[in-house]
Amino acid sequence: MDFKDILYRRLVKYAKVDTRSDPESKTYPSSKNQLILGGMLVKELKSAGVRKTGMDKYGYVTGEIPATVSGKCPVIGFLAHLDTSPDASGKNVKPQLHRNYGGGDIVISKKLGVVLTPKNCPELLKCNGEDIVTASGDTLLGADNKAGLAIIMTAAEYLVRHPEIKHGKIKIGFTPDEEVGQGVKYFNVKKFGAEATYTFDGDVAGAIEEETFNADGVKIVIKGKSVHPGTAKNTLANALRVAADIVSAWPENRLPETTENREGFIMFTDLKGGIEAAELSGIVRDHDLGELKAMERHLAAIAEEKRIKYPLADIKVEFKEQYRNMGPVIARRPEIMASLSAAIRKAGIEPRIKPVRGGTDGARLSFMGLPTPNVFTGGYNYHGRYEWVSLDGMNKSAEVLINLVQEWAKK
Ligand SMILES: [Zn+2]
């Protein structure tokens, strides 16, 4: 299966619409151009022969491909997001195609000195001989997640043209505002009507994600006691100093900058206050809920130590749940990952399951009743000027989608 030309044409077309989402916006979707791209996609889905296409008032684009098998077959959905990250410019994106990558540096812009090198991005070396797409040095590429849009669109078109391929009913959804954490805010899981869904929003070929962090927030409120510094001996409690003491007492090997893979951390994100009062906020993250709770007990114990050290200060520690690892939800339906792995192997690559060090829309969907792991698109270095995607990786991803619907038809 070779879809590279059409995938490239679609990626370029979508990249030209600046669909950066806006964290400051009060509207939904957060930027108008997402609706413009959404409108383009509705037209394209229609001309590809996808049924029941449309865009609702929130900017959710949906469509459906009827089953080619009779009898009971699970309805499967595919999702990608329309917006790109607000972290880098998305205006006037000019994709460049670097054919037949030879393992060295890729000059994205000589003038701006933007050079992609395997020294900083070893993932590139997995793409020897492949065709790589980048932007031109002053913008992101937007392969996150326009590669996903192109992959789903292309695979859908292929499936419509090949009714001999056996599959159940397929649902397609393109969603806005993922990058500002609002992608599924108004998503109607019931109306979408799928039993399981896959987001095509991952990175290099083969990588799949079924786990996110468990996430809590922490707030520590400290009340001090202000006394004139000249006569403060044994009567002053400086809330600011207590807060600083707590921050520095947290172990160094449990910080985001010292952990990777499945290691959890606490990061303090904000400290405000003075002598009278101080407030310290942070985030707690771990893939394992037991480990997350253990870190919280450790932080509470540090606070207890400080209560003894500073008896005049009042220290309150409070944890608040933010989101949970979707892994256990997906694991309840083992066929979801089993069919994905089989589809990837059929495309000639070995699946690599890796935990996401963050949250995803899929995690929110999973807890809304729609288990949603994430599938590779072939891209990397998202949200910046060094973003790239392999056309061969995109091609593999489209092939995986086509294999996947057939795996589900065997169920
Ligand atoms: Zn994305």
Side-chain angles (χ1 to χ4, degrees):
M1 278 179 212
D2 186 359
F3 303 115
K4 278 162 68 178
D5 287 340
I6 182 72
L7 285 167
Y8 181 62
R9 281 207 300 278
R10 286 196 162 118
L11 178 65
V12 171
K13 182 173 153 195
Y14 306 155
K16 287 205 167 122
V17 190
D18 177 4
T19 56
R20 273 172 296 174
S21 41
D22 176 3
E24 309 292 327
S25 170
K26 300 245 174 332
T27 62
Y28 196 96
S30 67
S31 60
K32 245 192 178 155
N33 281 358
Q34 296 187 66
L35 295 171
I36 292 174
L37 180 57
M40 283 164 57
L41 292 169
V42 171
K43 266 192 209 146
E44 216 178 317
L45 283 169
K46 237 179 226 153
S47 69
V50 173
R51 311 266 184 91
K52 294 189 180 168
T53 56
M55 177 166 64
D56 68 11
K57 63 175 176 179
Y58 303 111
Y60 291 111
V61 172
T62 47
E64 185 180 309
I65 304 174
T68 56
V69 291
S70 51
K72 236 176 153 253
C73 183
V75 181
I76 299 306
F78 299 104
L79 298 177
H81 63 89
L82 296 155
D83 62 320
T84 60
S85 167
D87 295 344
S89 172
K91 208 172 162 183
N92 282 323
V93 175
K94 291 183 285 292
Q96 302 182 77
L97 181 54
H98 312 266
R99 282 202 191 275
N100 196 12
Y101 175 62
D105 294 355
I106 295 177
V107 180
I108 298 178
S109 168
K110 207 170 167 182
K111 203 173 106 202
L112 300 170
V114 181
V115 179
L116 189 59
T117 155
K119 273 182 230 118
N120 300 332
C121 189
E123 280 74 16
L124 263 179
L125 296 175
K126 293 181 187 139
C127 301
N128 230 319
E130 301 185 358
D131 295 338
I132 306 288
V133 187
T134 67
S136 306
D138 51 354
T139 64
L140 49 66
L141 173 63
D144 176 13
N145 187 220
K146 286 163 181 171
L149 299 175
I151 289 161
I152 294 174
M153 184 67 77
T154 303
E157 185 177 51
Y158 183 85
L159 288 170
V160 171
R161 283 189 192 159
H162 291 270
E164 74 280 6
I165 295 176
K166 290 192 172 79
H167 60 79
K169 194 203 275 185
I170 298 166
K171 302 292 289 190
I172 290 165
F174 300 138
T175 61
D177 282 347
E178 191 266 354
E179 300 290 0
V180 290
Q182 303 295 327
V184 295
K185 193 175 180 184
Y186 299 107
F187 191 81
N188 191 331
V189 168
K190 211 172 152 204
K191 200 172 151 212
F192 193 61
E195 244 179 70
T197 301
Y198 299 84
T199 46
F200 276 67
D201 192 17
D203 51 57
V204 288
I208 47 179
E209 300 162 337
E210 59 165 343
E211 273 199 274
T212 54
F213 272 144
N214 290 292
D216 283 357
V218 58
K219 199 161 97 182
I220 302 179
V221 180
I222 302 151
K223 283 209 182 83
K225 209 178 148 204
S226 182
V227 178
H228 187 282
T231 56
K233 190 166 184 184
N234 297 327
T235 53
L236 174 93
N238 187 341
L240 186 63
R241 200 179 140 70
V242 177
D245 207 356
I246 293 173
V247 172
S248 59
W250 182 252
E252 250 175 68
N253 61 355
R254 279 283 169 261
L255 300 172
E257 59 268 44
T258 58
T259 50
E260 59 181 356
N261 301 324
R262 299 184 63 89
E263 298 163 335
F265 61 79
I266 290 183
M267 173 166 79
F268 294 105
T269 52
D270 191 56
L271 167 61
K272 50 176 181 278
I275 297 165
E276 282 273 314
E279 202 179 294
L280 180 61
S281 332
I283 58 171
V284 190
R285 299 288 187 263
D286 203 293
H287 293 100
D288 185 287
L289 194 55
E291 293 289 329
L292 183 96
K293 295 291 173 196
M295 277 198 296
E296 292 179 353
R297 282 196 300 274
H298 188 163
L299 185 60
I302 289 172
E304 186 52 36
E305 257 169 48
K306 302 307 167 197
R307 280 186 199 109
I308 295 160
K309 186 172 168 190
Y310 305 99
L312 296 173
D314 182 59
I315 306 169
K316 272 203 184 73
V317 184
E318 203 178 278
F319 298 99
K320 203 171 163 190
E321 181 174 324
Q322 290 176 332
Y323 59 84
R324 288 289 172 256
N325 186 352
M326 65 179 173
V329 178
I330 294 173
R332 265 181 246 146
R333 302 268 312 278
E335 69 274 24
I336 295 174
M337 290 306 280
S339 6
L340 179 56
S341 293
I344 293 176
R345 286 201 184 95
K346 206 171 139 198
I349 30 184
E350 199 41 41
R352 281 179 297 110
I353 300 180
K354 64 184 189 68
V356 184
R357 287 179 67 79
T360 63
D361 271 355
R364 280 179 78 178
L365 282 175
S366 297
F367 286 97
M368 284 158 77
L370 185 57
T372 308
N374 193 22
V375 184
F376 70 90
T377 60
Y380 211 73
N381 278 353
Y382 295 146
H383 301 188
R385 299 183 296 163
Y386 293 88
E387 185 181 7
W388 58 270
V389 66
S390 156
L391 279 185
D392 300 75
M394 285 176 73
N395 198 65
K396 283 287 177 201
S397 180
E399 210 178 315
V400 166
L401 196 160
I402 293 161
N403 294 341
L404 187 51
V405 295
Q406 298 175 74
E407 287 298 321
W408 276 97
K410 294 180 194 162
K411 306 262 175 264

